Amino acid sequence: MKVLFVAGDPKPERWTVPIKQLLPEADIYVWDPDGPAINADYAIVWQPPAQLFERETRLKAVFNLGAGIDGLLKVPNLPADLTVVRLEDAGMSVQMAEHVLHQILEVSRQMELYREQQRQRLWKIHRPISRKEWPIGIMGLGHIGKRVASTLASLDYTVNGWARSEHTVEGVRTFAGNGQLREFLGATRVLVNTLPLTSETENILNYDLFSQLQPGAVLINVGRGEHLVEEDLLRALNEEKLQRASLDVFRKEPLPAGHAFWERTDITITPHISARTLRDATLEQITGKIRDHASGHPITGIVDIARGY
């Protein structure tokens, strides 16, 4: 079995050494843009070059080093019949739930106000939180979205969820499809985006959508930067359609130093750290699936290329 690692890491041995330990029966190769074809059986990739699929024509499956596969699906010559497998969780969903909860607590419990009081050496207690005033809406109910939703519901927040298709999450009221989107937004004050990036979800976070949220609304975007129409966000903040926004993903990363978002006190910026890929858990999952696939056993996480997730 030949496995090709294609991720552009300047220190690929950080990945290839544990891959070999987990798959001792395999020969492990690192992508060389100037090298010959190795006739790999499997490729482990992150934003691979188009040249990969021109050269390696015998791939049985490609495994993505992340849950989001929009970068892989943009490769123009990705074979339509190739098995594409995304990462399932691998420690990311709990990180995402922690991150979203932190952002919600910052605003709902007025933590910045208390930090300012500390700077002023002021001891003053404000009204305690009323969770009924902070209904949360989760857009996207994949593995990560469901974990975020169930975590918040376990803390007695009112949590709604929306996705293209119907889902069931304990303790969460769910909505499905464009026909129920308006009702979902009207029941939401804190909007959390965990959607996959597809042609249908690109630019979904726009002025019209923000205008349908409850007063004093908050946006938390942990999906993709391309979901957000940046000018619409600034307009919604200026017109007080939104109270504030917490952004972890951007159209261009790193966010340019001259970008308008840096100047806003009502926007919290984090550098795409809401859920980091954990190497050990990731490679255990991927190598286990490679072994199962090679043995003819069914595997999960296979992407529907036509739907984009």
Side-chain angles (χ1 to χ4, degrees), residues 145-179:
K146 285 180 177 177
R147 180 62 179 268
V148 173
S150 61
T151 297
L152 296 171
S154 73
L155 295 173
D156 296 338
Y157 284 96
T158 298
V159 182
N160 301 302
W162 178 86
R164 283 180 54 186
S165 56
E166 294 185 0
H167 292 263
T168 300
V169 185
E170 185 175 356
V172 178
R173 183 186 178 194
T174 57
F175 301 79
N178 291 333

Short mmCIF file of all heavy atoms in Angstrom, two decimals, residues 145-179:
data_model
loop_
_atom_site.label_atom_id
_atom_site.label_comp_id
_atom_site.label_asym_id
_atom_site.label_seq_id
_atom_site.Cartn_x
_atom_site.Cartn_y
_atom_site.Cartn_z
N GLY A 145 -21.78 21.31 14.58
CA GLY A 145 -22.93 22.12 14.95
C GLY A 145 -23.79 21.47 16.02
O GLY A 145 -24.27 22.15 16.93
N LYS A 146 -23.97 20.16 15.91
CA LYS A 146 -24.76 19.46 16.91
C LYS A 146 -24.09 19.49 18.29
O LYS A 146 -24.76 19.63 19.32
CB LYS A 146 -25.00 18.01 16.48
CG LYS A 146 -26.03 17.88 15.37
CD LYS A 146 -26.24 16.43 14.97
CE LYS A 146 -27.34 16.32 13.90
NZ LYS A 146 -27.52 14.92 13.44
N ARG A 147 -22.76 19.38 18.30
CA ARG A 147 -22.05 19.42 19.58
C ARG A 147 -22.18 20.81 20.22
O ARG A 147 -22.40 20.93 21.43
CB ARG A 147 -20.57 19.08 19.37
CG ARG A 147 -19.72 19.10 20.66
CD ARG A 147 -20.20 18.06 21.67
NE ARG A 147 -19.41 18.04 22.87
CZ ARG A 147 -18.35 17.26 23.08
NH1 ARG A 147 -17.93 16.44 22.12
NH2 ARG A 147 -17.70 17.29 24.22
N VAL A 148 -22.06 21.85 19.41
CA VAL A 148 -22.24 23.21 19.93
C VAL A 148 -23.65 23.37 20.47
O VAL A 148 -23.86 23.88 21.59
CB VAL A 148 -21.95 24.25 18.83
CG1 VAL A 148 -22.30 25.65 19.31
CG2 VAL A 148 -20.49 24.19 18.40
N ALA A 149 -24.65 22.94 19.71
CA ALA A 149 -26.04 23.10 20.11
C ALA A 149 -26.35 22.34 21.40
O ALA A 149 -26.97 22.89 22.33
CB ALA A 149 -26.96 22.62 18.99
N SER A 150 -25.91 21.10 21.49
CA SER A 150 -26.22 20.30 22.68
C SER A 150 -25.49 20.83 23.91
O SER A 150 -26.03 20.78 25.02
CB SER A 150 -25.86 18.83 22.44
OG SER A 150 -24.47 18.67 22.16
N THR A 151 -24.27 21.35 23.72
CA THR A 151 -23.53 21.92 24.86
C THR A 151 -24.27 23.12 25.42
O THR A 151 -24.45 23.26 26.65
CB THR A 151 -22.12 22.34 24.42
OG1 THR A 151 -21.39 21.18 24.00
CG2 THR A 151 -21.37 23.01 25.57
N LEU A 152 -24.72 24.02 24.56
CA LEU A 152 -25.43 25.21 25.02
C LEU A 152 -26.78 24.85 25.62
O LEU A 152 -27.20 25.45 26.62
CB LEU A 152 -25.59 26.18 23.85
CG LEU A 152 -24.28 26.73 23.28
CD1 LEU A 152 -24.54 27.51 22.00
CD2 LEU A 152 -23.56 27.60 24.29
N ALA A 153 -27.46 23.88 25.03
CA ALA A 153 -28.75 23.46 25.58
C ALA A 153 -28.58 22.87 26.97
O ALA A 153 -29.45 23.04 27.83
CB ALA A 153 -29.41 22.44 24.64
N SER A 154 -27.46 22.20 27.21
CA SER A 154 -27.22 21.60 28.53
C SER A 154 -27.02 22.66 29.61
O SER A 154 -27.13 22.36 30.80
CB SER A 154 -26.00 20.68 28.49
OG SER A 154 -24.79 21.43 28.40
N LEU A 155 -26.74 23.90 29.19
CA LEU A 155 -26.58 25.00 30.13
C LEU A 155 -27.85 25.84 30.24
O LEU A 155 -27.82 26.97 30.73
CB LEU A 155 -25.40 25.88 29.70
CG LEU A 155 -24.03 25.18 29.75
CD1 LEU A 155 -22.96 26.07 29.14
CD2 LEU A 155 -23.67 24.84 31.19
N ASP A 156 -28.95 25.28 29.75
CA ASP A 156 -30.29 25.87 29.88
C ASP A 156 -30.52 27.10 29.01
O ASP A 156 -31.45 27.87 29.28
CB ASP A 156 -30.61 26.21 31.34
CG ASP A 156 -30.68 24.97 32.23
OD1 ASP A 156 -30.90 23.87 31.68
OD2 ASP A 156 -30.48 25.10 33.44
N TYR A 157 -29.71 27.28 27.98
CA TYR A 157 -30.04 28.29 26.98
C TYR A 157 -31.15 27.74 26.08
O TYR A 157 -31.27 26.52 25.90
CB TYR A 157 -28.82 28.62 26.11
CG TYR A 157 -27.80 29.48 26.77
CD1 TYR A 157 -26.68 28.92 27.38
CD2 TYR A 157 -27.94 30.87 26.79
CE1 TYR A 157 -25.71 29.71 27.99
CE2 TYR A 157 -26.97 31.68 27.39
CZ TYR A 157 -25.87 31.08 27.99
OH TYR A 157 -24.93 31.87 28.60
N THR A 158 -31.95 28.64 25.53
CA THR A 158 -32.89 28.26 24.49
C THR A 158 -32.10 28.16 23.18
O THR A 158 -31.51 29.15 22.74
CB THR A 158 -34.01 29.32 24.35
OG1 THR A 158 -34.74 29.40 25.57
CG2 THR A 158 -34.96 28.94 23.21
N VAL A 159 -32.08 26.98 22.60
CA VAL A 159 -31.25 26.74 21.42
C VAL A 159 -32.11 26.25 20.27
O VAL A 159 -32.90 25.31 20.42
CB VAL A 159 -30.14 25.72 21.71
CG1 VAL A 159 -29.25 25.53 20.48
CG2 VAL A 159 -29.29 26.17 22.91
N ASN A 160 -31.97 26.91 19.14
CA ASN A 160 -32.61 26.49 17.90
C ASN A 160 -31.51 26.09 16.91
O ASN A 160 -30.39 26.60 16.98
CB ASN A 160 -33.44 27.62 17.31
CG ASN A 160 -34.53 28.08 18.25
OD1 ASN A 160 -35.37 27.30 18.67
ND2 ASN A 160 -34.52 29.36 18.60
N GLY A 161 -31.85 25.22 16.00
CA GLY A 161 -30.89 24.80 14.98
C GLY A 161 -31.52 24.83 13.60
O GLY A 161 -32.72 24.53 13.45
N TRP A 162 -30.72 25.18 12.60
CA TRP A 162 -31.22 25.21 11.23
C TRP A 162 -30.21 24.54 10.31
O TRP A 162 -29.00 24.71 10.45
CB TRP A 162 -31.44 26.65 10.75
CG TRP A 162 -31.91 26.74 9.34
CD1 TRP A 162 -33.20 26.66 8.89
CD2 TRP A 162 -31.10 26.90 8.16
NE1 TRP A 162 -33.24 26.76 7.52
CE2 TRP A 162 -31.97 26.91 7.04
CE3 TRP A 162 -29.73 27.03 7.94
CZ2 TRP A 162 -31.50 27.05 5.74
CZ3 TRP A 162 -29.25 27.15 6.65
CH2 TRP A 162 -30.15 27.17 5.56
N ALA A 163 -30.73 23.78 9.35
CA ALA A 163 -29.90 23.14 8.33
C ALA A 163 -30.74 22.96 7.08
O ALA A 163 -31.96 23.17 7.10
CB ALA A 163 -29.37 21.80 8.83
N ARG A 164 -30.09 22.59 5.98
CA ARG A 164 -30.82 22.37 4.73
C ARG A 164 -31.80 21.23 4.85
O ARG A 164 -32.90 21.28 4.31
CB ARG A 164 -29.83 22.07 3.60
CG ARG A 164 -29.10 23.28 3.05
CD ARG A 164 -28.16 22.86 1.94
NE ARG A 164 -28.83 22.11 0.90
CZ ARG A 164 -28.21 21.53 -0.13
NH1 ARG A 164 -26.89 21.59 -0.21
NH2 ARG A 164 -28.88 20.87 -1.05
N SER A 165 -31.41 20.18 5.56
CA SER A 165 -32.27 19.00 5.73
C SER A 165 -32.64 18.85 7.20
O SER A 165 -32.08 19.52 8.07
CB SER A 165 -31.55 17.75 5.23
OG SER A 165 -30.31 17.58 5.89
N GLU A 166 -33.58 17.98 7.46
CA GLU A 166 -34.08 17.81 8.82
C GLU A 166 -33.08 17.07 9.71
O GLU A 166 -32.44 16.12 9.28
CB GLU A 166 -35.41 17.06 8.79
CG GLU A 166 -36.53 17.85 8.12
CD GLU A 166 -37.87 17.13 8.21
OE1 GLU A 166 -37.91 16.02 8.79
OE2 GLU A 166 -38.86 17.68 7.69
N HIS A 167 -32.96 17.54 10.95
CA HIS A 167 -32.09 16.92 11.95
C HIS A 167 -32.83 16.88 13.28
O HIS A 167 -33.76 17.65 13.51
CB HIS A 167 -30.80 17.71 12.13
CG HIS A 167 -29.88 17.67 10.95
ND1 HIS A 167 -28.82 16.80 10.85
CD2 HIS A 167 -29.86 18.40 9.80
CE1 HIS A 167 -28.19 16.99 9.71
NE2 HIS A 167 -28.80 17.97 9.05
N THR A 168 -32.36 16.01 14.15
CA THR A 168 -32.89 15.92 15.51
C THR A 168 -31.74 16.06 16.49
O THR A 168 -30.74 15.34 16.39
CB THR A 168 -33.60 14.58 15.74
OG1 THR A 168 -34.69 14.45 14.80
CG2 THR A 168 -34.16 14.52 17.16
N VAL A 169 -31.87 17.01 17.42
CA VAL A 169 -30.88 17.21 18.47
C VAL A 169 -31.63 17.35 19.78
O VAL A 169 -32.52 18.21 19.90
CB VAL A 169 -30.02 18.48 18.23
CG1 VAL A 169 -28.92 18.60 19.28
CG2 VAL A 169 -29.43 18.47 16.83
N GLU A 170 -31.30 16.53 20.75
CA GLU A 170 -32.01 16.54 22.03
C GLU A 170 -31.91 17.92 22.68
O GLU A 170 -30.83 18.50 22.79
CB GLU A 170 -31.45 15.48 22.97
CG GLU A 170 -32.22 15.36 24.28
CD GLU A 170 -31.72 14.23 25.15
OE1 GLU A 170 -30.82 13.49 24.70
OE2 GLU A 170 -32.21 14.10 26.29
N GLY A 171 -33.04 18.45 23.10
CA GLY A 171 -33.07 19.73 23.79
C GLY A 171 -33.01 20.93 22.87
O GLY A 171 -32.92 22.08 23.33
N VAL A 172 -33.05 20.69 21.54
CA VAL A 172 -32.91 21.77 20.55
C VAL A 172 -34.10 21.72 19.60
O VAL A 172 -34.45 20.66 19.08
CB VAL A 172 -31.60 21.61 19.75
CG1 VAL A 172 -31.48 22.69 18.69
CG2 VAL A 172 -30.40 21.66 20.70
N ARG A 173 -34.71 22.88 19.36
CA ARG A 173 -35.76 22.98 18.35
C ARG A 173 -35.10 23.17 17.00
O ARG A 173 -34.27 24.06 16.83
CB ARG A 173 -36.67 24.16 18.66
CG ARG A 173 -37.85 24.32 17.70
CD ARG A 173 -38.61 25.60 18.00
NE ARG A 173 -39.72 25.80 17.07
CZ ARG A 173 -40.39 26.94 16.94
NH1 ARG A 173 -40.03 27.99 17.68
NH2 ARG A 173 -41.38 27.04 16.08
N THR A 174 -35.46 22.34 16.04
CA THR A 174 -34.76 22.37 14.76
C THR A 174 -35.68 22.85 13.64
O THR A 174 -36.89 22.63 13.65
CB THR A 174 -34.18 20.99 14.41
OG1 THR A 174 -35.23 20.03 14.39
CG2 THR A 174 -33.13 20.58 15.42
N PHE A 175 -35.06 23.51 12.67
CA PHE A 175 -35.72 24.02 11.47
C PHE A 175 -34.96 23.49 10.26
O PHE A 175 -33.76 23.23 10.35
CB PHE A 175 -35.72 25.54 11.46
CG PHE A 175 -36.41 26.18 12.64
CD1 PHE A 175 -35.78 26.28 13.88
CD2 PHE A 175 -37.69 26.69 12.52
CE1 PHE A 175 -36.42 26.87 14.97
CE2 PHE A 175 -38.34 27.29 13.59
CZ PHE A 175 -37.70 27.37 14.83
N ALA A 176 -35.65 23.39 9.13
CA ALA A 176 -35.00 22.84 7.94
C ALA A 176 -35.44 23.59 6.69
O ALA A 176 -36.61 23.96 6.53
CB ALA A 176 -35.34 21.35 7.78
N GLY A 177 -34.45 23.83 5.82
CA GLY A 177 -34.73 24.37 4.50
C GLY A 177 -35.02 25.86 4.48
O GLY A 177 -35.26 26.50 5.52
N ASN A 178 -35.04 26.43 3.29
CA ASN A 178 -35.29 27.86 3.13
C ASN A 178 -36.67 28.27 3.62
O ASN A 178 -36.86 29.40 4.06
CB ASN A 178 -35.12 28.25 1.66
CG ASN A 178 -33.68 28.15 1.21
OD1 ASN A 178 -32.75 28.29 2.01
ND2 ASN A 178 -33.46 27.89 -0.08
N GLY A 179 -37.62 27.35 3.55
CA GLY A 179 -38.97 27.67 3.99
C GLY A 179 -39.09 27.96 5.46
O GLY A 179 -40.04 28.64 5.89
#
